[in-house]
């Protein structure tokens, strides 16, 4: 009896006829791009990434014993790769009487790598597997927005503080997580000219040169956190001018996330000023963010000043400032307590918002859970000056602030739609039986 | 649009968003208005006749700026004579009048001068303290407290005051900027007690 092989032999010797059985198809070579795409869309990858994410949260939690929350956020969750020190596991070994530090570290995918891969996994799965159903589409779109919102917050969001004393105004907020070195030309009558150098450029041993600077600046040392100690003879100061003549900066560990006192890091640094393009020294100074904290201005009377080419220049390290085109004037700060107690009931700030460019001139009351939203920034009532004559506002700029709300709404809606569709299909099937 | 292209388009948008926020930080240059605290206090401390004489003018910043030159001229005109009925004498700048206000809030004054005829004109107050009550640091800190400024330590004092010669006498000049003054604070407690003429 003729079989397929006979047909194949006949096919090779002459033209095919319509009455012949169909030719078996040759197996297609796998497309590498498609294989990659299928791997990216796989459910196994989703499970692995979620597991890695859980581990990252666990490692980040352990690391907060010795490091501040913002350092952990930056190193572990807003990075692509993190080098995790084995030392974070000493919290377990110390319970068994082993107090020695554990040397070594291991690489691990950072939060952005895991998040980006989860996002790619979800998009690829949708492109490849999922049918266009409103419920699933809405739900997954909400997830995409949630993942994107974290990227946008991590990249663009800035959290700042604004301190205002009653009867005065402020047109800037500052970020306590980052410092900047400023060189100020104070020769003007009405204005100061400021050159601001970000903390990322203050690297020990580096010489900072820029056309806007009146001198070169050599970074002798930079401490992420420090305390100031009075210099007592016979000890001599490393500085040749300014407050460093009387105080030295001593390196301190950065504030830990588990610390009960919740201290803010106080960066300090030693700089040598040199004539531009030469080794000729103008002077050496020590400057600390502690000199420029609002509500504490008693350091200013020891000027960090040098005269260069007939102009006075001041050198300061301070928390990074963000100047606004508008100002807030604090008319009154109010701290209400429950009658007969010292327990805080409410505190509020009556401010006057002035924005000449936009013609805004109005009073605003900022109080707990009732922030001021203006020009893409939100001003929350955060704290107050110890003697209750000043307010501390938390100022947040986050272009993605609305995204988590939209995301949660879409996820909820998607779930409701999907489950309703599934339920109605099930009920129709049951009724049809 | 094919599934592949749809995915690539979305992925490109996301990567673009990420990279746009990762720009390297640069050195920036800008100008800011000089701070303009609302209140200002000028004072001169003159050690003479076994006392320290305090000549003080304080008020809204703009008023003080307008009258600073006249205040400097007034201080430069001071003369002391232990044997005269008025041990301290001066030449009043144009427009200044002497008020009959001698006691304010329980504190006695040697003299109160007004830099204009109106009752609400800025005042120049002349007082004196004997002994250690006339020390520079506690009195500078008293002025600073009135304007909402924190006190100084001894080593900071040379940077906060200026020395000036009034004839053969070395006097101390103080210039403090701050907020609206609080109620007058107690005089320094080291000896002295209430001022006397």
């Amino acid at each position: 009896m003729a079989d397929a092989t006979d047909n194949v032999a006949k096919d090779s010797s002459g033209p095919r006829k319509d009455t012949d059985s169909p030719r078996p198809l040759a197996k297609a070579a796998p497309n590498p791009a498609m294989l990659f795409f299928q791997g990216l869309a796989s459910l196994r990858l989703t499970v692995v990434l979620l597991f890695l994410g859980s581990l990252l949260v666990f490692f980040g939690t352990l690391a907060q014993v010795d490091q501040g929350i913002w350092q952990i956020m930056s190193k572990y969750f807003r990075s692509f790769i993190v080098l995790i020190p084995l030392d974070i596991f000493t919290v377990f070994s110390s319970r068994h009487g082993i107090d020695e530090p554990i040397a070594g570290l291991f690489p691990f995918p950072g939060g952005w790598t895991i998040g980006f891969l989860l996002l790619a996994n979800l998009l690829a799965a949708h492109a490849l597997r999922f049918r266009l159903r409103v419920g699933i589409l809405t739900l997954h779109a909400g997830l995409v927005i949630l993942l994107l919102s974290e990227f946008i917050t991590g990249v663009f969001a800035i959290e700042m503080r604004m301190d205002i004393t009653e009867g005065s105004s402020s047109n800037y907020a500052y970020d306590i997580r980052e410092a900047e070195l400023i060189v100020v030309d104070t020769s003007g009558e009405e204005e100061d000219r400021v050159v601001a150098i970000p903390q990322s450029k203050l690297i020990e041993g580096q010489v900072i040169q820029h056309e806007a600077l009146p001198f070169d600046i050599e970074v002798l040392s930079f401490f992420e956190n420090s305390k100031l100690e009075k210099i007592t003879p016979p000890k001599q100061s490393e500085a040749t001018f300014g407050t460093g003549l009387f105080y030295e900066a001593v390196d301190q560990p950065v504030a830990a996330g588990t610390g009960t006192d919740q201290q803010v890091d106080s960066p300090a640094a030693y700089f040598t000023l040199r004539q531009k393009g030469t080794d000729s020294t103008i002077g050496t100074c020590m400057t600390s963010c502690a000199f420029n904290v609002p509500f504490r201005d008693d350091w200013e009377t020891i000027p960090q000043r040098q005269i260069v080419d007939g102009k006075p220049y001041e050198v300061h390290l301070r928390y990074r400032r963000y100047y606004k085109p508008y100002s807030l004037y604090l008319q009154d700060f109010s701290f209400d307590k429950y009658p007969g107690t010292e327990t805080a009931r409410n505190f509020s700030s009556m401010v006057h918002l002035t924005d000449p460019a936009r013609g805004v001139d109005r009073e605003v009351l900022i109080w707990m859970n009732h922030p001021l939203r203006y020009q893409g920034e939100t001003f929350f009532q955060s704290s107050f000056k110890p003697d209750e004559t000043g307010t501390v506002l938390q100022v947040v700029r986050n272009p993605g602030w609305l995204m988590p709300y939209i995301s949660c709404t879409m996820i909820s809606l998607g779930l409701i739609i999907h489950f309703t569709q599934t339920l109605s299909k099930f009920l129709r099937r049951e009724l049809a039986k | 649009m094919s599934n592949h292209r749809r995915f690539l388009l979305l992925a490109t948008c996301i990567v673009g968003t990420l990279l746009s926020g990762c720009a390297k930080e640069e050195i920036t240059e800008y100008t800011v208005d000089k701070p303009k605290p609302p209140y200002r206090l000028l004072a001169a401390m003159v050690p003479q006749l076994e006392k320290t004489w305090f000549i003080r003018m304080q008020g809204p910043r703009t008023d003080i700026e307008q009258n600073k030159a006249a205040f400097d001229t007034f201080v430069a005109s001071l003369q002391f004579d232990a044997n005269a009925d008025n041990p301290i004498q001066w030449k009043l700048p144009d427009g200044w009048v002497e008020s009959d206000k001698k006691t304010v809030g329980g504190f006695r004054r040697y003299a109160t001068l007004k830099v204009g005829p109106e009752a609400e004109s800025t005042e120049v107050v002349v007082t004196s303290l004997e002994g250690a009550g006339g020390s520079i640091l506690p009195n500078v800190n008293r002025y600073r407290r009135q304007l909402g400024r924190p006190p100084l330590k001894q080593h900071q004092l040379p940077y906060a005051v200026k020395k000036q010669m009034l004839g053969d006498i070395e006097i101390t000049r103080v210039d403090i900027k701050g907020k609206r003054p609080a109620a007058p604070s107690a005089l320094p407690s080291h000896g002295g007690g209430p001022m006397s003429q």
Side-chain angles (χ1 to χ4, degrees):
Chain A
M1 186 163 116
D3 62 9
T5 53
D6 289 336
N7 288 336
V8 169
K10 279 181 189 171
D11 282 343
S12 64
S13 61
R16 280 183 55 77
K17 294 171 188 172
D18 288 340
T19 52
D20 291 340
S21 13
R23 181 189 310 176
L25 292 171
K27 196 173 176 182
N31 181 347
M34 194 60 191
L35 280 175
F36 170 78
F37 202 52
Q38 283 172 340
L40 194 58
S42 82
L43 192 55
R44 282 181 202 166
L45 180 62
T46 311
V47 172
V48 167
L49 290 173
L50 288 175
F51 178 66
L52 289 177
S54 306
L55 278 180
L56 186 66
V57 168
F58 175 64
F59 295 146
T61 305
L62 291 181
Q64 279 191 67
V65 171
D66 295 318
Q67 296 179 69
I69 178 77
W70 294 113
Q71 279 193 308
I72 299 301
M73 285 293 290
S74 174
K75 266 195 204 169
Y76 284 66
F77 300 104
R78 289 180 178 158
S79 63
F80 289 105
I81 294 281
V82 51
L83 291 173
I84 299 178
L86 289 167
D87 216 26
I88 62 171
F89 299 109
T90 53
V91 67
F92 299 115
S93 60
S94 63
R95 289 185 184 184
H96 298 280
I98 305 167
D99 291 322
E100 275 129 34
I102 308 171
L105 28 80
F106 62 95
F108 198 84
W112 279 354
T113 297
I114 295 172
F116 179 69
L117 285 174
L118 271 171
L119 185 62
N121 172 251
L122 182 60
L123 293 173
H126 250 284
L128 209 61
R129 287 207 307 269
F130 286 100
R131 283 181 284 175
L132 288 180
R133 287 187 177 170
V134 172
I136 295 288
L137 205 59
T138 308
L139 167 61
H140 284 174
L143 274 174
V144 168
I145 291 173
L146 190 63
L147 288 168
L148 280 178
S149 77
E150 168 48 31
F151 291 135
I152 289 172
T153 299
V155 171
F156 295 110
I158 306 172
E159 232 175 87
M160 301 162 277
R161 279 168 57 158
M162 181 182 274
D163 302 352
I164 321 173
T165 305
E166 268 182 358
S168 63
S169 64
S170 177
N171 65 342
Y172 70 87
Y174 61 98
D175 184 352
I176 58 173
R177 296 165 297 172
E178 202 181 331
E180 61 181 3
L181 176 69
I182 58 166
V183 176
V184 188
D185 172 3
T186 58
S187 60
E189 287 288 325
E190 297 291 324
E191 287 179 337
D192 289 334
R193 180 165 289 277
V194 178
V195 178
I197 304 166
Q199 182 175 325
S200 57
K201 294 196 178 294
L202 304 178
I203 302 167
E204 284 185 17
Q206 290 272 24
V207 177
I208 302 167
Q209 297 174 308
H210 194 272
E211 57 187 10
L213 288 171
F215 35 71
D216 295 341
I217 303 174
E218 182 186 352
V219 183
L220 298 179
S221 52
F222 181 84
F223 310 128
E224 283 195 45
N225 190 22
S226 66
K227 66 174 181 178
L228 300 174
E229 288 181 351
K230 194 129 183 9
I231 297 174
T232 48
K235 197 167 188 180
Q236 292 207 327
S237 167
E238 207 177 322
T240 60
F241 70 96
T243 308
L245 290 169
F246 305 102
Y247 289 87
E248 64 172 340
V250 177
D251 196 9
Q252 295 289 292
V254 293
T258 52
T260 51
D261 51 4
Q262 292 299 299
Q263 288 291 322
V264 172
D265 288 335
S266 182
Y270 283 84
F271 302 101
T272 292
L273 313 183
R274 300 186 188 283
Q275 300 285 358
K276 281 180 95 72
T278 73
D279 286 333
S280 170
T281 303
I282 297 171
T284 297
C285 69
M286 183 275 291
T287 175
S288 164
C289 284
F291 298 167
N292 296 293
V293 175
F295 301 152
R296 281 215 47 211
D297 56 359
D298 50 343
W299 297 101
E300 70 181 278
T301 51
I302 301 181
Q304 308 270 115
R305 190 182 302 140
Q306 285 288 336
I307 309 290
V308 176
D309 296 333
K311 278 189 181 178
Y313 293 95
E314 293 187 6
V315 179
H316 297 288
L317 190 72
R318 66 182 186 192
Y319 294 115
R320 184 169 181 175
R321 284 191 190 178
Y322 295 87
Y323 282 91
K324 318 290 176 194
Y326 51 87
S327 63
L328 291 179
Y329 175 85
L330 179 64
Q331 292 178 334
D332 181 51
F333 171 75
S334 175
F335 182 21
D336 303 325
K337 296 174 190 156
Y338 287 102
T341 73
E342 288 300 306
T343 306
R345 192 179 69 165
N346 181 46
F347 37 96
S348 62
S349 307
M350 178 60 81
V351 299
H352 197 102
L353 170 64
T354 309
D355 187 347
R358 288 182 170 78
V360 174
D361 189 358
R362 59 185 170 101
E363 280 184 0
V364 180
L365 182 67
I366 302 172
W367 48 298
M368 288 154 63
N369 300 318
H370 291 74
L372 160 68
R373 295 188 198 278
Y374 187 72
Q375 288 301 302
E377 291 178 326
T378 308
F379 297 76
F380 296 92
Q381 178 66 63
S382 173
S383 184
F384 52 93
K385 197 177 166 192
D387 62 4
E388 299 175 26
T389 60
T391 188
V392 178
L393 304 175
Q394 184 190 25
V395 185
V396 179
R397 185 193 306 160
N398 181 7
W401 71 276
L402 208 49
M403 293 173 77
Y405 298 103
I406 296 172
S407 158
C408 290
T409 305
M410 289 178 72
I411 290 170
S412 304
L413 204 59
L415 282 170
I416 291 170
I417 293 171
H418 178 67
F419 286 140
T420 305
Q421 284 177 334
T422 308
L423 178 63
S424 65
K425 201 194 298 182
F426 168 77
L427 289 174
R428 274 202 302 271
R429 220 172 21 239
E430 290 299 305
L431 288 172
K433 282 183 185 172
Chain B
M1 191 188 284
S2 72
N3 286 340
H4 293 132
R5 284 191 186 158
R6 208 180 297 147
F7 171 75
L8 280 172
L9 181 64
L10 271 168
T12 304
C13 290
I14 292 161
V15 170
T17 304
L18 279 177
L19 292 176
S20 68
C22 297
K24 211 172 150 190
E25 287 183 310
E26 295 297 336
I27 295 174
T28 52
E29 189 181 3
Y30 52 89
T31 55
V32 293
D33 291 336
K34 283 187 184 289
K36 293 183 173 68
Y39 269 75
R40 189 174 177 185
L41 181 149
L42 300 177
M45 300 181 195
V46 185
Q48 270 295 284
L49 306 177
E50 295 176 359
K51 294 180 187 178
T52 303
W53 297 85
F54 298 88
I55 298 88
R56 171 178 55 90
M57 177 172 75
Q58 75 180 47
R61 178 178 49 83
T62 45
D63 288 353
I64 302 303
E65 279 169 7
Q66 283 171 7
N67 294 294
K68 183 177 182 301
F71 181 81
D72 292 342
T73 305
F74 174 75
V75 169
S77 74
L78 294 176
Q79 288 183 343
F80 297 85
D81 185 349
N83 299 318
D85 291 338
N86 295 322
I88 176 173
Q89 290 155 13
W90 52 69
K91 184 170 180 295
L92 276 183
D94 293 338
W96 286 32
V97 295
E98 186 161 345
S99 159
D100 55 4
K101 200 192 294 185
K102 292 290 188 190
T103 306
V104 173
F107 298 110
R108 287 193 59 202
R109 298 175 171 184
Y110 182 83
T112 303
L113 312 165
K114 287 195 170 292
V115 301
E118 285 86 26
E120 60 272 12
S121 299
T122 301
E123 290 182 344
V124 175
V125 177
V126 183
T127 56
S128 69
L129 285 172
E130 294 173 357
S135 304
I136 303 295
L137 181 64
N139 282 291
V140 168
N141 283 336
R142 176 168 59 89
Y143 292 147
R144 286 176 66 88
R145 269 197 305 277
Q146 286 181 10
L147 267 64
R149 303 292 301 279
L152 298 175
K153 298 182 180 57
Q154 185 64 49
H155 69 272
Q156 294 169 304
L157 186 62
Y159 300 94
V161 301
K162 281 197 177 109
K163 296 294 185 184
Q164 196 177 307
M165 296 308 293
L166 179 67
D168 295 333
I169 314 163
E170 186 184 69
I171 69 172
T172 303
R173 292 294 307 266
V174 176
D175 186 349
I176 303 170
K177 300 179 181 85
K179 62 176 190 174
R180 184 192 307 275
S185 56
L187 292 167
S189 58
H190 306 282
M195 55 74 68
S196 56
Q197 186 163 334

